[in-house]
Amino acid sequence: MDLQAIADDIVRDLSPRLGEGKVADYIPELAKVDPKQLGIAITTVDGTTYRAGDAETAFSVQSISKVFMLTLALGKVGETIWRRVGREPSGSAFNSIIQLEHEHGIPRNPFINAGAIVVSDIVLAGHRPREAIGEFLRFMHYVANDESLYIDEAVARSEQRTGYRNFALANFMRGFDNLEHPVDHVLGVYFHQCALAMNCVQLSHAGLFLANRGTNPLTGFSVVSPRRARRISAIMLTCGHYDGSGDFAFRVGLPGKSGVGGGILAVAPGRASIAVWSPGLDETGNSLLGSIALEMLAARTGWSVFGT
């Protein structure tokens, strides 16, 4: 199987559609991004990377960061994390507050905004916000095997200025005693993790440990146990695309996590880590062309977890 040819073909086939979808203009810094871009990087478990299009252009990973913060939090508190956040698909928008009231401040899963804010609260324990942000960035350097990764302060400030719904979610959960730290401290961590800048190649490297039973083949270092890698991937499959998760599983059939910056990290267990990026979003807040690119990739490789 010629993965380079497949990646090149996908970018070529989708090039007439560049610019489709709508950028996340409710975050001012993301509104400035040129929507006519598409990148894809495929890194196999033997450490080989195939890239096409705008695969080396950095973008804001946004909610893709939630996969890595969940990994950090599991390392800190283990399975007790599930007392404070669920593992079920939400069926609601990523910033919805409706379910929180019915479920007494316990978010449905760690990948909607409310759940990720709780995860940030867990990682913050024992730290000042700046220290927790530093821990997250060091972890990303470790899993991506790349110390050039950085947090885009302009994006973080932009989110801080406009993140009214996230402040509402955090205060609501604080009212149910499901946040242990001051809201502004927790959201400071949350906004900065979302503002991490990566390109598709770097992101595909960072996700390799999930494709390779918890071990990063680029370094040989164990990141998590095989069991934990499997469970994180399971939550990605069922919850990684908000209220579009079922459709993504139906069309693509791979664990994945999207971000409103237009990126998607997908995992083909035992085979590869795949990152795609195209800034235009569909109506559920997922990359329009990125989702189509992954659907094309799964069809051409037979990598769906549900079979060829």
Side-chain angles (χ1 to χ4, degrees):
M1 185 160 45
D2 189 342
L3 291 174
Q4 185 60 59
I6 290 172
D8 290 335
D9 289 348
I10 289 171
V11 170
R12 184 198 64 224
D13 293 348
L14 290 178
S15 61
R17 301 182 61 178
L18 290 178
E20 289 189 19
K22 182 181 179 183
V23 297
D25 55 8
Y26 59 89
I27 299 174
E29 283 298 312
L30 298 188
K32 301 175 184 178
V33 178
D34 178 6
K36 294 184 177 181
Q37 300 182 83
L38 172 65
I40 182 169
I42 306 164
T43 301
T44 56
V45 293
D46 68 0
T48 304
T49 300
Y50 307 89
R51 67 198 77 188
D54 300 298
E56 297 188 50
T57 300
F59 60 92
S60 185
V61 301
Q62 293 295 309
S63 287
I64 301 172
S65 67
K66 296 171 183 176
V67 173
F68 302 102
M69 283 294 273
L70 174 62
T71 304
L72 267 180
L74 284 166
K76 284 178 173 286
V77 301
E79 298 300 306
T80 62
I81 192 175
W82 307 121
R83 298 173 186 169
R84 296 180 58 188
V85 61
R87 300 190 296 268
E88 295 294 333
S90 66
S92 300
F94 57 85
N95 55 4
S96 172
I97 200 170
I98 296 171
Q99 286 174 331
L100 275 180
E101 183 165 12
H102 290 297
E103 297 171 359
H104 308 292
I106 304 296
R108 274 288 176 98
N109 65 69
F111 293 156
I112 54 175
N113 287 18
I117 290 168
V118 171
V119 170
S120 296
D121 185 64
I122 292 169
V123 172
L124 182 55
H127 295 303
R128 290 174 295 184
R130 184 177 299 276
E131 293 168 342
I133 295 164
E135 180 183 20
F136 167 70
L137 188 57
R138 287 191 298 274
F139 181 66
M140 294 309 302
H141 291 166
Y142 173 69
V143 293
N145 194 34
D146 188 338
E147 294 194 359
S148 71
L149 303 184
Y150 66 95
I151 289 171
D152 189 326
E153 291 291 342
V155 173
R157 288 192 299 270
S158 185
E159 295 199 60
Q160 188 95 28
R161 289 193 303 268
T162 59
Y164 304 114
R165 291 194 181 187
N166 288 319
F167 277 100
L169 292 170
N171 278 293
F172 199 78
M173 291 187 293
R174 178 86 176 192
F176 279 103
D177 295 322
N178 200 19
L179 285 190
E180 297 177 354
H181 300 87
V183 165
D184 59 330
H185 289 188
V186 179
L187 288 179
V189 175
Y190 176 72
F191 291 140
H192 278 80
Q193 75 181 59
C194 289
L196 179 70
M198 301 180 76
N199 62 40
C200 290
V201 172
Q202 294 166 328
L203 184 57
S204 71
H205 291 173
L208 261 182
F209 74 94
L210 293 170
N212 194 49
R213 294 175 52 81
T215 297
N216 186 342
L218 298 175
T219 62
F221 296 146
S222 175
V223 181
V224 296
S225 68
R227 180 172 180 261
R228 183 161 290 172
R230 185 178 72 247
R231 288 187 160 185
I232 294 170
S233 294
I235 298 172
M236 291 171 69
L237 181 67
T238 58
C239 306
H241 282 72
Y242 312 119
D243 46 333
S245 297
D247 187 62
F248 186 83
F250 179 83
R251 293 190 297 108
V252 179
L254 293 173
K257 183 71 197 83
S258 66
V260 296
I264 304 174
L265 171 66
V267 176
R271 299 179 182 274
S273 169
I274 309 111
V276 296
W277 171 63
S278 188
L281 308 179
D282 63 19
E283 59 187 17
T284 56
N286 302 306
S287 175
L288 178 63
L289 293 187
S291 297
I292 295 170
L294 286 169
E295 183 177 6
M296 296 167 70
L297 178 71
R300 296 178 189 188
T301 59
W303 281 352
S304 168
V305 297
F306 303 111
T308 57

